[in-house]
Amino acid sequence: MQFLAYILVYPFLWLISILPFRLLYLFSDVLYVLLYHIIGYRKQVVNTNLKTVFPEKTDKEIAVIRKKFYKHLCDMFLEMAKTMSISETELKKRFKIKNPQEFKRLEKLNKSIILIFGHYASWEWSIVLQNYISFKGLAVYKKLANKHFDTLVRNIRSKFNTKLINTKETINAISHYEVSGVRTITGFLSDQSPRLNKDAYWGEFMGIKVPCFTGAERLAKKLDFSTAYLKVTKVKRGFYEAEIMTLAENPKEFENYKLTDMFLREVEKQIYEAPEYYFWTHKRWKHKGKSKL
């Protein structure tokens, strides 16, 4: 059944990937009508999230953000498919690094780097970062249940020599490179909701107490890796800009959870500035009110 689903979907994704951008975004407009107005994909989740985070906004204001978000979501999905065939030259034109010199500065510290992302703007096209650094690029991801789609995602995201490692492989993979004398830069998407357990760190995100992923910070402290945030902004449709913002050169000097909080503050700033580019379909605030703090 997994293979059947794969062979039915793959040709469709490939056809999307070879569309010129003008037609790609025309198709995105059609997909938006289908996803938002007809299917209503996760509309209730998005609505609940927006009202939870922006209780002061009117229904009309929420609706404006919601519609803009779905248009961006459709663009993101098709841009991910486009990655299958996009050239390095084209991708570097559409996903620019604002301050590549900061990568070079961090590399000169002769420490591996933890690079933390938020689900904001475009994280998929950040795979082009490998072309701006000399360190080995790694990206932590959650393994997909369908092994065929998992392989496809790994191939797409590894297109420019970034190696994907699933969450269970993280420590061993990074330690292997360190022992071998290979410096790495490892990307973590760290703003979504982790599994709830008694040892979870509850921090504030958009003014609400929520459990937070702390794996990136814990790893940075344990191995003494420099830590940075990749601030990605959407310039216009199909074009993004990323800025490397160093959070800590010596993470062991920071008190526990400080780096996690610093990261969340940066994501918050972007959400307040342009909320339509955040990934609202995840149930990020589902544990609201469950904290014992």
Side-chain angles (χ1 to χ4, degrees), residues 208-221:
I208 301 164
K209 282 283 186 181
V210 291
C212 303
F213 277 113
T214 59
E217 176 181 332
R218 287 186 284 109
L219 189 61
K221 285 189 164 188

Side-chain angles (χ1 to χ4, degrees), residues 171-184:
I171 295 293
N172 289 339
I174 294 175
S175 297
H176 167 74
Y177 282 110
E178 285 297 299
V179 170
S180 302
V182 177
R183 294 290 181 240
T184 58

Side-chain angles (χ1 to χ4, degrees), residues 180-232:
S180 302
V182 177
R183 294 290 181 240
T184 58
I185 177 167
T186 306
F188 287 80
L189 279 163
S190 299
D191 58 317
Q192 294 300 309
S193 185
R195 288 185 178 181
L196 192 59
N197 62 65
K198 62 180 182 179
D199 298 320
Y201 167 61
W202 289 77
E204 279 201 4
F205 185 43
M206 301 300 290
I208 301 164
K209 282 283 186 181
V210 291
C212 303
F213 277 113
T214 59
E217 176 181 332
R218 287 186 284 109
L219 189 61
K221 285 189 164 188
K222 180 179 180 179
L223 300 176
D224 194 29
F225 287 0
S226 300
T227 309
Y229 170 59
L230 189 74
K231 179 183 179 181
V232 183

Side-chain angles (χ1 to χ4, degrees), residues 6-23:
Y6 175 74
I7 61 175
L8 288 174
V9 174
Y10 179 81
F12 176 68
L13 294 176
W14 175 251
L15 286 173
I16 290 174
S17 78
I18 61 176
L19 288 175
F21 276 98
R22 183 176 58 83
L23 291 180

Side-chain angles (χ1 to χ4, degrees), residues 96-138:
K96 293 185 176 181
I97 309 303
K98 186 176 180 179
N99 57 338
Q101 68 277 6
E102 184 64 7
F103 269 144
K104 298 302 180 184
R105 190 187 71 81
L106 289 174
E107 287 183 332
K108 288 179 181 178
L109 299 176
N110 198 29
K111 289 183 179 183
S112 290
I113 303 167
I114 295 294
L115 188 63
I116 315 178
F117 296 68
H119 284 82
Y120 189 89
S122 174
W123 55 95
E124 291 293 342
W125 279 359
S126 65
I127 58 174
V128 78
L129 288 174
Q130 183 66 73
N131 294 286
Y132 293 89
I133 57 178
S134 59
F135 284 10
K136 175 62 181 175
L138 306 174

